[in-house]
Amino acid sequence: VLRADGLGADALLAAVIPLFELDVYATPVIMMAPVPGDSLDPAVEAKYRKALNYDGEIEQMERYAFYERAKKAYAVVITGETAKYGNIILKKGVTPLS
């Protein structure tokens, strides 16, 4: 677990993505789906897309399935993000040699 207290998730994503190749063989971005009866704020996904410079598919994962998937992550970064459903998982791809 790494701490980045005080940073919004979008700021951290923008800082990390130049060093982190996203997977091209599987959906590389996963966000938590809303619980039944709740809704997502589309601005959260939009700011993450902008930070990642990403226009591909984003998988929506049920809340408890998301938690189980996060337990298998290489690293978990805790930020100061306060957006509802602002959780995100990135799948790393192979970094090109050149």
Side-chain angles (χ1 to χ4, degrees):
V1 174
L2 305 170
R3 298 202 61 110
D5 298 324
L7 286 179
D10 59 328
L12 185 65
L13 292 170
V16 168
I17 200 61
L19 309 170
F20 190 97
E21 191 75 25
L22 293 175
D23 194 328
V24 296
Y25 298 107
T27 304
V29 180
I30 303 168
M31 291 183 70
M32 187 183 293
V35 297
D38 208 351
S39 61
L40 295 175
D41 177 356
V44 176
E45 181 179 318
K47 74 179 184 176
Y48 290 179
R49 284 183 176 281
K50 182 178 179 183
L52 293 169
N53 192 26
Y54 178 74
D55 62 358
E57 180 184 351
I58 293 180
E59 181 181 339
Q60 298 280 322
M61 187 174 283
E62 184 273 332
R63 178 181 175 192
Y64 292 105
F66 187 96
Y67 295 150
E68 288 303 312
R69 175 63 182 86
K71 288 179 185 178
K72 299 174 187 171
Y74 176 79
V76 173
V77 181
I78 299 171
T79 69
E81 184 60 59
T82 60
K84 187 163 87 170
Y85 301 111
N87 306 307
I88 188 168
I89 295 173
L90 301 178
K91 292 182 185 177
K92 184 186 175 304
V94 177
T95 304
L97 294 176
S98 57

